[in-house]
Amino acid sequence: MSLLQLSATTLPRSADALRSSVRGFLAEEREQGRYVPRCDNWLGGIDPEFSRRLGERGFLGLTWPRRYGGQERSPLERFAVTEELLAAGAPVAAHWVSDRQVGPNLLRFGSEDQKRTYLPGIACGQLLFCIGMSEPDSGSDLASVRTQATRAPGGWVVNGSKVWTSGAHVAQAMVALVRTTPEADRHDGLSQLIVDMAAAGVQVNPIRSIDGGHHFNEVVLQDVFVPDEHVLGRIGDGWRQVTSELAYERSGPERLMSTLPLLLEWCKRLRESSAPIDTAYADAVGQLVARCWTLRQMSLAVAAGLADGAMPATEAAMVKDLGAQFEREVIEVIRRHIDLEPDAGSDDPLTRLLAEAILHSPAFTLRGGTTEILRKIVASSLGAR
């Protein structure tokens, strides 16, 4: 797949039935008062019980082999399920990274014992992972990781800290990127280890977000022993493994749908209004929907590329960069067209969703790689320095 050849992709018919099934599940959840739609809930909506119920219904581990607890569905069927959960603003954050990238990475690089140990638990929503990549003072530059693993009899002793680690306070395990050969080149000597979050020496410190929510954490690792059987992939292959993982992280529909619940609520408000819809409103909605659909097709094309075994890192970076811009544009367009004071504590859904979107928006262009990092990836693929 070259930079400018994102192939047009359509979802299979089987995705329609699956989509209907997810909609039914979500309707039941709302009717029983188990959640209310929120913006950016794929990152901030941590609800392990919701994840467990989702797993019980067979909506996690969709593409994985049945022998590991999966459903052997296609990646495009999984795409449809993901879209429904995001559009509904469902609280999917507890299992998100486990299902999106830890599972695929275990399938690709894990030992048979690791697959049988971890994948069934993830698929039924009872085993939650977090990922330890970012570190203090490192920003989005993963190659500057300083957390060090030192060889010890039967395993490795890890010292360092990770930051902005979503869901670490509810996770049972973490895939951590660590430096196993300090003297090697910055891209070499990195490895991925599976850290038991209950192990001695693991300390999780909460980091509150601007709205008071708790999904970020600092994870301090002090003399944490990790046995050899918990090495993911090969020692020294961490950079290659983690960069392939980023294609899953950056290209998914969550990179453009964080504020979709707000847009949908605005459209609902316009439909229910007894007054004729102003032409300016209609134009604004039309432009947003057109952009959303275009970005969705790009994300779908990347998903199809991943399903075919490609590693479309550049295309994934484009989806993430453009998607984050779109998520912010939804907020700005709606603020230009309605006279509404955002209030996160309001009973009015539109007022509350607008406040949530505004408070979360600073992170849109930071998480999963900053704008600068993403554009550098795209520029490098074009031969620019």
Side-chain angles (χ1 to χ4, degrees):
M1 181 185 295
S2 68
L3 178 62
L4 300 177
Q5 290 184 346
L6 284 166
S7 302
T9 304
T10 56
L11 293 175
R13 280 191 168 187
S14 56
D16 294 338
L18 199 52
R19 191 185 293 279
S20 296
S21 181
V22 178
R23 287 181 180 177
F25 167 77
L26 292 169
E28 290 174 16
E29 291 287 306
R30 286 195 296 270
E31 287 171 5
Q32 295 179 28
R34 288 175 167 167
Y35 89 94
V36 294
R38 295 189 181 281
C39 285
D40 210 26
N41 233 9
W42 68 270
L43 188 68
I46 293 179
D47 184 345
E49 285 304 306
F50 181 90
S51 296
R52 182 184 56 75
R53 292 193 293 275
L54 207 57
E56 286 176 352
R57 298 288 285 265
F59 294 134
L60 300 181
L62 279 165
T63 62
W64 308 347
R66 290 189 183 277
R67 64 182 181 279
Y68 301 133
Q71 302 293 322
E72 296 188 354
R73 297 272 192 171
S74 73
L76 297 183
E77 289 174 307
R78 181 183 180 277
F79 191 97
V81 171
T82 304
E83 279 190 317
E84 288 302 318
L85 294 170
L86 293 168
V92 294
H95 69 267
W96 198 255
V97 300
S98 308
D99 186 54
R100 179 186 65 185
Q101 63 198 88
V102 173
N105 248 19
L106 283 166
L107 282 169
R108 190 168 188 183
F109 302 113
S111 65
E112 183 61 25
D113 185 58
Q114 288 171 350
K115 293 172 187 174
R116 293 190 180 278
T117 298
Y118 298 117
L119 291 174
I122 296 175
C124 67
Q126 296 185 358
L127 177 58
L128 307 176
F129 269 78
C130 60
I131 50 174
M133 292 189 186
S134 297
E135 296 190 359
D137 304 320
S138 292
S140 291
D141 183 10
L142 285 180
S144 65
V145 159
R146 291 180 295 185
T147 293
Q148 189 167 332
T150 306
R151 200 74 177 100
W156 299 82
V157 174
V158 183
N159 282 283
S161 60
K162 298 293 179 179
V163 74
W164 313 124
T165 311
S166 297
H169 57 301
V170 296
Q172 290 94 19
M174 174 173 69
V175 175
L177 182 67
V178 301
R179 193 163 293 283
T180 44
T181 310
E183 64 275 13
D185 178 82
R186 66 197 301 264
H187 287 153
D188 297 329
L190 293 170
S191 304
Q192 286 186 300
L193 304 180
I194 300 173
V195 177
D196 182 347
M197 295 299 283
V202 177
Q203 181 178 334
V204 179
N205 302 316
I207 299 174
R208 294 284 174 183
S209 51
I210 193 171
D211 62 353
H214 176 204
H215 57 90
F216 285 136
N217 299 276
E218 175 195 43
V219 180
V220 179
L221 305 162
Q222 184 172 6
D223 294 329
V224 178
F225 179 73
V226 178
D228 282 330
E229 55 266 31
H230 286 190
V231 173
L232 178 58
R234 295 191 306 178
I235 290 294
D237 266 3
W239 181 255
R240 180 178 67 87
Q241 293 174 198
V242 83
T243 49
S244 66
E245 179 181 338
L246 289 176
Y248 292 97
E249 181 178 352
R250 290 173 172 163
S251 64
E254 67 269 29
R255 297 305 183 184
L256 57 108
M257 294 178 69
S258 299
T259 54
L260 192 65
L262 171 64
L263 178 57
L264 294 175
E265 185 62 29
W266 186 40
C267 292
K268 178 184 175 189
R269 189 68 59 92
L270 292 173
R271 284 198 307 272
E272 293 175 349
S273 173
S274 57
I277 297 178
D278 189 287
T279 304
Y281 286 16
D283 287 348
V285 170
Q287 289 175 20
L288 287 175
V289 171
R291 285 198 62 192
C292 184
W293 186 257
T294 302
L295 290 165
R296 186 249 192 187
Q297 291 304 111
M298 291 176 65
S299 177
L300 191 55
V302 174
L306 288 168
D308 290 340
M311 276 294 125
T314 302
E315 292 80 358
M318 291 175 63
V319 170
K320 201 274 178 181
D321 182 23
L322 296 172
Q325 293 179 51
F326 170 75
E327 290 175 329
R328 284 186 171 180
E329 187 178 353
V330 169
I331 301 170
E332 296 308 315
V333 168
I334 292 176
R335 293 189 77 179
R336 283 200 300 269
H337 287 83
I338 60 174
D339 183 16
L340 198 64
E341 186 67 29
D343 181 357
S346 174
D347 292 331
D348 173 53
L350 187 60
T351 305
R352 175 179 53 77
L353 288 165
L354 181 59
E356 291 170 359
I358 292 170
L359 291 171
H360 282 239
S361 63
F364 294 168
T365 54
L366 298 175
R367 61 198 185 193
T370 63
T371 299
E372 290 76 12
I373 291 291
L374 298 172
R375 292 179 183 178
K376 183 177 180 182
I377 291 171
V378 175
S380 296
S381 73
L382 294 171
R385 290 179 177 270

